[in-house]
Amino acid sequence: MKYNIDYINKKNSARLEEFVNQSWFLDKSLGYSIYDHAYIVPADMSNLHFHRGVLTSQGEIVDSSLLFEGFKTDWANSVELYKAQKRTETVIYLGLLLPVWGHILTDCLKKLWFIRTDLCKQYISEGAKFVAIIPWHSKALDTIFDLLGFKIENIENIKVLTQFEKVIIPDNSIVRNSDNTRYYTKEYSDTVKLITDKIPDTKPYGKYYFTRTSFAKSKIWLRREYGESEIESVFRKMGYTVISPEKLNPIETMTLIKNCESFASTEGSISHNVLFCKPGTDVIIVRKVDFVNTWQLIVNQVANVNVTYIDAHKSIISSGCLGPFYMSITKEMEKFVGHSIFHIPYFLKPSFWWYLIQNRKITKRILISLNIIQ
């Protein structure tokens, strides 16, 4: 596995270099915990509050039950535990299965190692049931579970606040630390291999650029990315076939990626598709913000691919990993292609100013600097 960060802005390259020169493998034996009379708090989709998890009998959050450790912990005190349904059952909690593609390939897999253990099979034979929090249905999530030989119908989706006799919670095979770094264990890479082994091998397909432009055109007021069409055009001229993955079914998507010679995309959920690349595949990741995506570092290492990072954005760092993002032709992109690229400066484009308006924090900062508000 190799990294190339020659096309990263100098002010950001030192930080990224620090991350790419590390291993994110955690040599740790995983186990599980049992909580007596624990509560499972379901997603509340009426208020889009889908980041929930398990509370102990005393109402304390079980950190390993969340989407990831330390995330969205401000809801526990508002849970009315006295309203919980009570069930005298033992359940095996498989996590908050958030059916967003990037999380399906990472956080949704991190407890599934336990299903394959003899201990889990013993609990099931004694009457235990699989449960999870699944905010909404997703065919993509179904497909991944099918490839693992496990039907998602075998998991009860907890939809009301419920207290169980015992809740068994497997350890996570992707672990987030307080500094937002993430590590993976052998159990995670073993789970991924079970999936990739089921994806068909074909003759090499060539070079693919996976784009989000079709997705972004749906509703402008919900758009998270701006400017990708320019980046897409650059890769098309370099001989890449441009693919909108949402127009394919998951198996078609994974088959293309597994058998491609080179894969390129912006960084985020779409770049987590690298997980399906064969070892040694050339991967190009276009950064849309000065933010180190620690999920991606795990994906890169598990897939054992050769990664080139390119800075091609004018995003404000406060947008973090959630956006919105503004992409543009940069000198780093021109260095990558080996020549200058004709383009309109980003600050002359109406889309850039709409991007600033959409990001309220940025707009507020500008208004304060202009003494328009305090």
Side-chain angles (χ1 to χ4, degrees), residues 16 33 122 151 180-181 203 233 290 295 328 333 365:
L16 183 58
S33 301
Q122 178 182 335
K151 295 292 184 182
N180 203 36
T181 56
K203 64 180 181 180
S233 178
D290 295 333
W295 282 286
S328 179
M333 177 62 77
R365 187 186 305 168

Side-chain angles (χ1 to χ4, degrees), residues 56-70:
T56 67
S57 59
Q58 303 301 313
E60 298 172 346
I61 289 179
V62 178
D63 202 33
S64 64
S65 73
L66 304 175
L67 180 63
F68 50 82
E69 293 84 351

Side-chain angles (χ1 to χ4, degrees), residues 198-305:
K198 296 287 183 64
I199 301 170
D201 286 298
T202 68
K203 64 180 181 180
Y205 279 136
K207 303 189 296 185
Y208 286 93
Y209 178 87
F210 273 39
T211 182
R212 285 176 56 91
T213 51
S214 294
F215 182 81
K217 290 175 183 175
S218 56
K219 293 181 179 179
I220 190 170
W221 56 89
L222 294 177
R223 185 179 295 178
R224 292 178 60 204
E225 287 98 356
Y226 295 86
E228 189 182 2
S229 57
E230 277 191 329
I231 310 302
E232 177 185 302
S233 178
V234 169
F235 279 91
R236 185 180 286 109
K237 291 176 181 177
M238 293 176 63
Y240 282 75
T241 300
V242 176
I243 299 290
S244 297
E246 67 273 11
K247 297 179 180 180
L248 305 175
N249 66 50
I251 295 296
E252 291 171 334
T253 298
M254 292 184 279
T255 302
L256 279 179
I257 296 165
K258 183 178 181 180
N259 298 286
C260 71
E261 297 173 351
S262 178
F263 173 85
S265 76
T266 57
E267 190 168 29
S269 281
I270 198 166
S271 62
H272 293 354
N273 283 301
V274 167
L275 203 61
F276 306 115
C277 288
K278 290 179 178 177
T281 300
D282 288 327
V283 170
I284 301 168
I285 296 178
V286 180
R287 301 211 313 161
K288 53 190 180 183
V289 69
D290 295 333
F291 175 87
V292 179
N293 188 313
T294 53
W295 282 286
Q296 190 63 45
L297 295 171
I298 287 176
V299 167
N300 296 342
Q301 187 169 337
V302 170
N304 193 22
V305 291

Side-chain angles (χ1 to χ4, degrees), residues 334-353:
E334 291 179 323
K335 180 182 177 182
F336 172 73
V337 300
H339 57 78
S340 61
I341 302 170
F342 175 77
H343 62 283
I344 299 172
Y346 70 96
F347 53 84
L348 294 180
K349 298 177 182 178
S351 59
F352 179 71
W353 298 100

Side-chain angles (χ1 to χ4, degrees), residues 20-295:
V20 300
N21 284 335
Q22 294 186 50
S23 171
W24 303 101
F25 175 72
L26 179 64
D27 188 5
K28 174 187 177 182
S29 297
L30 299 186
Y32 64 98
S33 301
I34 300 178
Y35 295 88
D36 294 330
H37 309 297
Y39 300 85
I40 298 182
V41 185
D44 179 5
M45 294 308 296
S46 63
N47 294 309
L48 295 181
H49 295 158
F50 46 80
H51 294 295
R52 295 294 184 260
V54 177
L55 300 179
T56 67
S57 59
Q58 303 301 313
E60 298 172 346
I61 289 179
V62 178
D63 202 33
S64 64
S65 73
L66 304 175
L67 180 63
F68 50 82
E69 293 84 351
F71 184 67
K72 297 285 186 182
T73 59
D74 56 352
W75 50 268
N77 292 334
S78 63
V79 178
E80 298 173 312
L81 298 179
Y82 68 91
K83 293 183 178 180
Q85 292 186 6
K86 298 183 185 298
R87 290 168 55 175
T88 57
E89 295 167 286
T90 296
V91 294
I92 300 171
Y93 175 76
L94 296 180
L96 168 56
L97 304 183
L98 185 64
V100 174
W101 187 240
H103 289 292
I104 290 173
L105 302 183
T106 53
D107 296 307
C108 291
L109 300 181
K110 63 190 178 185
K111 292 186 184 297
L112 300 188
W113 66 270
F114 190 68
I115 294 174
R116 303 190 297 275
T117 65
D118 291 338
L119 189 58
C120 179
K121 294 173 184 176
Q122 178 182 335
Y123 277 120
I124 294 299
S125 69
E126 294 172 353
K129 298 179 179 179
F130 293 115
V131 298
I133 301 169
I134 309 174
W136 61 87
H137 177 259
S138 162
K139 290 183 178 179
L141 185 62
D142 293 351
T143 300
I144 293 297
F145 273 75
D146 286 345
L147 291 171
L148 288 169
F150 186 80
K151 295 292 184 182
I152 202 162
E153 291 83 3
N154 294 331
I155 304 173
E156 180 182 349
N157 183 16
I158 302 302
K159 298 181 178 180
V160 296
L161 176 63
T162 307
Q163 184 180 35
F164 291 95
E165 186 74 18
K166 291 182 183 296
V167 178
I168 299 169
I169 304 182
D171 290 345
N172 291 330
S173 59
I174 293 180
V175 181
R176 176 185 180 267
N177 293 332
S178 57
D179 62 356
N180 203 36
T181 56
R182 287 177 171 81
Y183 294 85
Y184 73 95
T185 69
K186 183 176 182 297
E187 288 80 357
Y188 175 71
S189 55
D190 286 348
T191 301
V192 170
K193 188 175 186 304
L194 289 173
I195 297 169
T196 55
D197 284 350
K198 296 287 183 64
I199 301 170
D201 286 298
T202 68
K203 64 180 181 180
Y205 279 136
K207 303 189 296 185
Y208 286 93
Y209 178 87
F210 273 39
T211 182
R212 285 176 56 91
T213 51
S214 294
F215 182 81
K217 290 175 183 175
S218 56
K219 293 181 179 179
I220 190 170
W221 56 89
L222 294 177
R223 185 179 295 178
R224 292 178 60 204
E225 287 98 356
Y226 295 86
E228 189 182 2
S229 57
E230 277 191 329
I231 310 302
E232 177 185 302
S233 178
V234 169
F235 279 91
R236 185 180 286 109
K237 291 176 181 177
M238 293 176 63
Y240 282 75
T241 300
V242 176
I243 299 290
S244 297
E246 67 273 11
K247 297 179 180 180
L248 305 175
N249 66 50
I251 295 296
E252 291 171 334
T253 298
M254 292 184 279
T255 302
L256 279 179
I257 296 165
K258 183 178 181 180
N259 298 286
C260 71
E261 297 173 351
S262 178
F263 173 85
S265 76
T266 57
E267 190 168 29
S269 281
I270 198 166
S271 62
H272 293 354
N273 283 301
V274 167
L275 203 61
F276 306 115
C277 288
K278 290 179 178 177
T281 300
D282 288 327
V283 170
I284 301 168
I285 296 178
V286 180
R287 301 211 313 161
K288 53 190 180 183
V289 69
D290 295 333
F291 175 87
V292 179
N293 188 313
T294 53
W295 282 286

